[in-house]
Amino acid sequence: MKKLLTRRNGLLLLFGFALLFPLVFSENRYVLHVMTVGFIYIIAIYGMNVLAGYTGQLNLAHAGFFAIGAYAVGILTTKMGMNFWVALLLAILITCVIGFILGAIALRTKEHFFAIYTLIVGYLIYLLIDKWDDLTGGVRGLIGIPVPDPIGPITFTSAVSMYYLVLFLLVLSIFVAFRIVHSLTGRTYIAIRNSEELAQTLGINTRTNKLVSFVISVGFAALAGGLYASLLRFIGPEIAGTSMVFTFLMYLIVGGIGTLSGPVVGTMLFVWLEQSLQGFQEYRMLIFGPILVCIVIFYPTGLVGAYYSLKQKFQTPKKKPEAVLRKTVLESSSFHRREV
């Protein structure tokens, strides 16, 4: 039984479920749409997790970079008539360049000062999008963003094809995040998160590594933003708002910050919980608020972190009382011999 409940089999089961999901709900376009939006959010939250979960830098402008990626795709495709795939690559590049410039300034601050600075940057991005009518459409937003261009015989005009496209890019994003975390670069990020001063004494260039992590994070956000724009075909300035970034943060904290499966668990849980509570939208934060507070107090590492803690606790073999007593006596006798 234990052999069947391995991590590998669990991942294969989840992947198989994701592949078969459109076949079960092929007639229900709304359910497919909600699932696809959830996948896009997961890609964005993986970017937040690389920076906040593994490097220890909380970027509250993450929704702003998500919006930059979305608006870059929207402007390049609707106003310049560019191919979607070229526009998506350019959107990621533009967002990474902006992230590099802003990150180089932001990373001169630390801890809560960094979070406050990025919160201000995120709000400035929102204001820029909201007020620049000629470029972004202002409060009207951008309308008529095209779906992704065909790749050979494969088209993306249906809800099922968009679902599989986003699923493919989500799996690719998870693979990239996995490779980063389990590489020397990922261990460097974890060392910086645990103790930046100690990392510096080991010869790690903390500022450069934090900046690279920041750029990787905004790259994930830009990819998710571009997919979001092509899926909804309409975007407004609210996607850069503070409510969006705190929604991302809530998904990450509940799922498990600093874990690879946390973004998936937290996002899917809350996305479907929101759908089941649509009749209580006015009381949304009254419902989610206490849940979030309880998880932060009792399970600070999120649901995934709590699962791993319980698993480790139950798998650790308990020593027999006789063995514990024998070990205590031996340690006591050796201590007394040293004293004599």
Side-chain angles (χ1 to χ4, degrees), residues 71-337:
Y71 270 90
V73 168
I75 292 167
L76 291 173
T77 52
T78 58
K79 297 191 176 183
M80 298 185 181
M82 196 173 288
N83 179 280
F84 170 81
W85 301 107
V86 178
L88 182 62
L89 291 175
L90 282 176
I92 296 171
L93 180 61
I94 290 167
T95 309
C96 287
V97 170
I98 295 172
F100 178 84
I101 295 169
L102 295 177
I105 301 170
L107 290 169
R108 292 177 177 273
T109 59
K110 294 182 180 180
E111 299 175 352
H112 53 282
F113 296 107
F114 176 82
I116 293 170
Y117 178 86
T118 54
L119 179 62
I120 295 169
V121 169
Y123 188 67
L124 289 175
I125 293 172
Y126 164 77
L127 287 178
L128 187 66
I129 293 172
D130 186 56
K131 303 301 181 184
W132 198 348
D133 291 349
D134 294 336
L135 183 66
T136 64
V139 294
R140 298 186 305 277
L142 288 177
I143 304 172
I145 300 169
V147 297
D149 291 277
I151 302 176
I154 304 173
T155 60
F156 303 100
T157 54
S158 67
V160 175
S161 58
M162 280 298 297
Y163 172 90
Y164 281 118
L165 171 64
V166 175
L167 176 62
F168 170 76
L169 292 173
L170 171 61
V171 172
L172 184 62
S173 300
I174 294 173
F175 175 75
V176 171
F178 177 84
R179 295 298 300 168
I180 289 172
V181 170
H182 290 88
S183 66
L184 180 61
T185 302
R187 295 187 184 95
T188 303
Y189 294 161
I190 293 170
I192 294 171
R193 179 195 66 188
N194 293 339
S195 175
E196 189 170 343
E197 291 77 13
L198 181 58
Q200 287 174 341
T201 61
L202 295 173
I204 296 173
N205 189 330
T206 56
R207 178 169 292 183
T208 301
N209 279 282
K210 287 193 295 184
L211 183 56
V212 171
S213 177
F214 191 93
V215 173
I216 292 171
S217 174
V218 303
F220 275 88
L223 172 62
L227 293 173
Y228 185 85
S230 66
L231 176 68
L232 268 65
R233 306 190 68 185
F234 163 79
I235 49 176
E238 66 277 356
I239 64 172
T242 53
S243 60
M244 192 72 165
V245 73
F246 283 115
T247 298
F248 287 165
L249 187 59
M250 179 175 65
Y251 293 166
L252 180 58
I253 290 174
V254 170
I257 190 168
T259 62
L260 277 172
S261 50
V264 178
V265 173
T267 304
M268 287 291 101
L269 175 67
F270 271 97
V271 164
W272 287 108
L273 188 60
E274 285 177 355
Q275 296 305 312
S276 61
L277 298 174
Q278 278 192 343
F280 304 92
Q281 283 297 316
E282 295 179 1
Y283 310 101
R284 175 173 170 266
M285 294 314 298
L286 288 176
I287 297 170
F288 293 157
I291 295 174
L292 184 61
V293 169
C294 291
I295 288 175
V296 169
I297 292 173
F298 298 106
Y299 303 106
T301 54
L303 296 177
V304 174
Y307 165 75
Y308 284 129
S309 298
L310 290 173
K311 182 180 178 182
Q312 187 177 10
K313 181 180 178 181
F314 286 112
Q315 285 185 346
T316 303
K318 294 183 179 180
K319 295 181 180 179
K320 294 181 179 180
E322 297 84 359
V324 174
L325 179 62
R326 191 181 302 115
K327 182 179 179 182
T328 305
V329 170
L330 289 173
E331 288 177 351
S332 178
S333 61
S334 62
F335 173 76
H336 286 297
R337 282 199 298 272

